[in-house]
Amino acid sequence: MRDPNKCILCGDCVRMCDNVQAVNAIDFAYRGTKALVTPAFDKKIAETDCVNCGQCRVVCPTGAISIKTNMDVIWDLLADKDTKVIAQIAPAVRVAVGDQFGLPRGENVMGKLVNVLHRMGFDEVFDTSYGADLTVIEESEELLNRLESGEKLPLFTSCCPAWVRYCENRYPEFAENLSTCRSPQQMFGAVVREYYKDPEKNLGKRVVSVSIMPCTAKKDEILRPESSTNGKQDIDYVLTTTELVSMIRKSGIRFENLEIEASDMPFGIGSGAGVIFGVTGGVTEAVLRRLRKGHNRVDMDNIKFSGVRGEKGLKEVEFDYNGRTIRAAIVSGLGNADALLKRIKAGEVHYDFVEVMACYRGCVMGGGQPVPAGPRTKSARMKGLYDSDVNTQIKKSNENPLVQTLYDGLLKGKEHKLLHRNFEAAKNE
């Protein structure tokens, strides 16, 4: 949301949108006392090529650009005894909340988040890392299928809704290269909705699904027609990390003093591969683990040090799969993605797999995360997720026993319907 009355014409949002993200949705207009920051021809921001990445809000020093909030609606739902409110928490959220309550930067506070959400009235609290495990399994299979057929390569990841919208707006010729997989949020939302269809599970109550995300673009993703199942929206509301922090403060609960609690079952366990989805390179590393047979520690370390990690805006990786060399690129920041797409389009470079995240460094620096966040905070958030991976016993998504149970039960025969984007609904829209 924009409030021109708070704008001091510093130009930080314009530079972020134009120079860093290459979206060019806003710019300066008019001169002198009439000067203002606005989309061209005074259009509404929704009528521009804005991808909802929220990075303009991150750099705005006065709050002239802020997050459209759903907090009041959520409070009302939590107070309704006839409503069962389900929450899922994205990996990047757990390393961005603690320092808002005096805890060390980047500390994994997932256990405290589960506790505080239960206290606030959420009936069930799950881990989106579980949804990320589903994404890894489906996306890995899609990559292997495309490599075999040689069609629609490179395969672009579809986890980041801001990147998906950017590709559709600026490079529609690559739209078919986007993975058909839903994002972890949407996969999880579809699975939860299917699970709670059972009257024994919903107890006769209305079920409301809320996701807690580091990303403002997730608020738009839940509304997209291809994110629906049987014509119904799978996720009802998205709360950003910033909104969650505000709700915790308003609740009066001393977050820093809370004991830790485990996520609820049956969707409470995610692998280390699912957790690192929150950093740039995490999706690629998770896919490489999935494709690598066995648990050889040397092989796992080779993946770790192959170039998938680090803060660079563009990283390139080569890995061997059954004697075939697969080339992958990892991009964070839409400006970097724009430069890479131009090179791919010109035939200067060739890849089999491309991971793109709209925000530099990945979801840990998403548009919905608390600000300001200096270099130490950014590095601490990344380290926090990698440390969480180290402390997780399950390293590979396909070895998560709860995911295996899901495929053998609830998902059987419904994999494509629940885990892939509904393009038929998008066509009819």
Side-chain angles (χ1 to χ4, degrees):
M1 297 176 66
R2 296 182 299 135
D3 184 352
N5 296 318
K6 293 182 180 179
C7 181
I8 57 173
L9 300 176
C10 66
D12 287 354
C13 60
V14 173
R15 285 185 286 274
M16 174 59 73
C17 190
D18 295 1
N19 302 341
V20 179
Q21 293 295 74
V23 175
N24 306 304
I26 53 175
D27 209 332
F28 287 103
Y30 311 113
R31 296 182 180 181
T33 57
K34 293 183 179 180
L36 75 159
V37 173
T38 180
F41 308 110
D42 202 28
K43 289 182 178 180
K44 294 180 180 178
I45 195 75
E47 297 172 357
T48 70
D49 282 346
C50 175
V51 297
N52 306 298
C53 69
Q55 290 302 301
C56 55
R57 169 257 164 187
V58 169
V59 297
C60 179
T62 63
I65 302 175
S66 60
I67 299 167
K68 185 175 181 178
T69 181
N70 299 112
M71 291 188 291
D72 291 341
V73 178
I74 302 300
W75 280 124
D76 290 340
L77 291 168
L78 293 175
D80 185 355
K81 293 180 180 179
D82 295 323
T83 300
K84 191 177 185 70
V85 187
I86 311 298
Q88 58 165 300
I89 305 174
V93 174
R94 69 200 67 193
V95 292
V97 172
D99 62 336
Q100 302 297 302
F101 298 94
L103 298 171
R105 292 184 181 94
E107 181 175 313
N108 180 356
V109 294
M110 181 64 182
K112 289 180 181 290
L113 287 173
V114 175
N115 188 332
V116 77
L117 289 175
H118 281 150
R119 287 170 179 258
M120 288 163 62
F122 285 87
D123 295 278
E124 307 286 351
V125 182
F126 300 126
D127 190 341
T128 310
S129 299
Y130 183 97
D133 285 337
L134 293 172
T135 303
V136 171
I137 293 170
E138 293 297 312
E139 205 159 65
S140 299
E141 288 302 315
E142 186 177 12
L143 173 61
L144 294 179
N145 290 336
R146 292 201 188 191
L147 287 172
E148 187 176 340
S149 67
E151 297 176 354
K152 300 176 185 177
L153 289 172
L155 173 67
F156 290 110
T157 58
S158 57
C159 305
C160 173
W163 146 245
V164 170
R165 189 169 288 280
Y166 183 84
C167 181
E168 292 170 342
N169 289 347
R170 295 298 180 85
Y171 295 92
E173 64 270 31
F174 286 126
E176 289 193 349
N177 292 65
L178 290 166
S179 170
T180 64
C181 294
R182 299 188 187 196
S183 69
Q185 169 187 256
Q186 294 304 135
M187 283 193 183
F188 206 170
V191 167
V192 166
R193 187 73 69 188
E194 187 72 16
Y195 179 78
Y196 281 102
K197 277 183 179 178
D198 187 342
E200 290 187 9
K201 305 288 194 315
N202 61 43
L203 303 176
K205 295 183 178 182
R206 170 194 175 200
V207 175
V208 172
S209 183
V210 178
S211 63
I212 300 170
M213 295 284 138
C215 173
T216 48
K218 290 292 181 182
K219 289 178 179 280
D220 174 67
E221 183 183 42
I222 66 172
L223 304 175
R224 291 178 62 114
E226 67 268 27
S227 295
S228 65
T229 305
N230 295 329
K232 184 173 178 60
Q233 193 173 308
D234 288 316
I235 303 289
D236 296 296
Y237 299 98
V238 173
L239 287 174
T240 60
T241 312
T242 301
E243 290 170 275
L244 175 62
V245 169
S246 179
M247 290 182 72
I248 293 172
R249 286 179 173 146
K250 288 179 180 178
S251 73
I253 299 170
R254 295 294 297 272
F255 182 82
E256 64 277 16
N257 295 335
L258 291 176
E259 298 292 327
I260 63 173
E261 287 185 13
S263 302
D264 292 304
M265 297 296 278
F267 310 119
I269 299 176
S271 72
V275 170
I276 60 175
F277 255 57
V279 292
T280 176
V283 180
T284 303
E285 184 170 348
V287 168
L288 293 186
R289 290 185 192 181
R290 164 75 178 88
L291 296 178
R292 186 75 68 186
K293 293 181 180 179
H295 302 80
N296 187 303
R297 186 171 179 177
V298 174
D299 286 343
M300 294 298 108
D301 283 345
N302 285 341
I303 294 173
K304 177 179 176 180
F305 297 112
S306 65
V308 293
R309 298 191 179 186
E311 298 186 11
K312 289 175 62 178
L314 171 63
K315 295 169 282 189
E316 296 177 306
V317 179
E318 289 188 358
F319 60 98
D320 177 79
Y321 179 73
N322 292 342
R324 173 171 180 166
T325 299
I326 297 177
R327 299 194 71 227
I330 300 162
V331 192
S332 67
L334 289 176
N336 293 324
D338 183 65
L340 182 67
L341 286 169
K342 287 176 179 174
R343 293 179 65 201
I344 293 174
K345 190 174 178 180
E348 297 176 12
V349 290
H350 301 276
Y351 301 102
D352 300 299
F353 183 77
V354 180
E355 172 196 324
V356 185
M357 291 189 178
C359 303
Y360 186 54
R361 293 183 178 86
C363 303
V364 289
M365 293 308 299
Q369 295 280 65
V371 293
R376 283 196 299 164
T377 300
K378 296 170 184 176
S379 298
R381 288 177 184 175
M382 296 180 74
K383 183 177 183 299
L385 287 187
Y386 285 128
D387 287 347
S388 299
D389 171 41
V390 170
N391 294 322
T392 303
Q393 290 177 312
I394 306 167
K395 302 297 182 188
K396 301 171 72 171
S397 298
N398 55 306
E399 294 177 353
N400 184 339
L402 296 184
V403 169
Q404 293 171 355
T405 300
L406 188 74
Y407 273 100
D408 293 336
L410 183 72
L411 271 182
K412 204 156 193 175
K414 304 174 185 175
E415 295 90 343
H416 197 274
K417 173 185 171 184
L418 297 179
L419 304 183
H420 291 257
R421 291 188 287 154
N422 186 352
F423 292 110
E424 197 59 40
K427 283 180 187 176
N428 296 334
E429 181 69 7

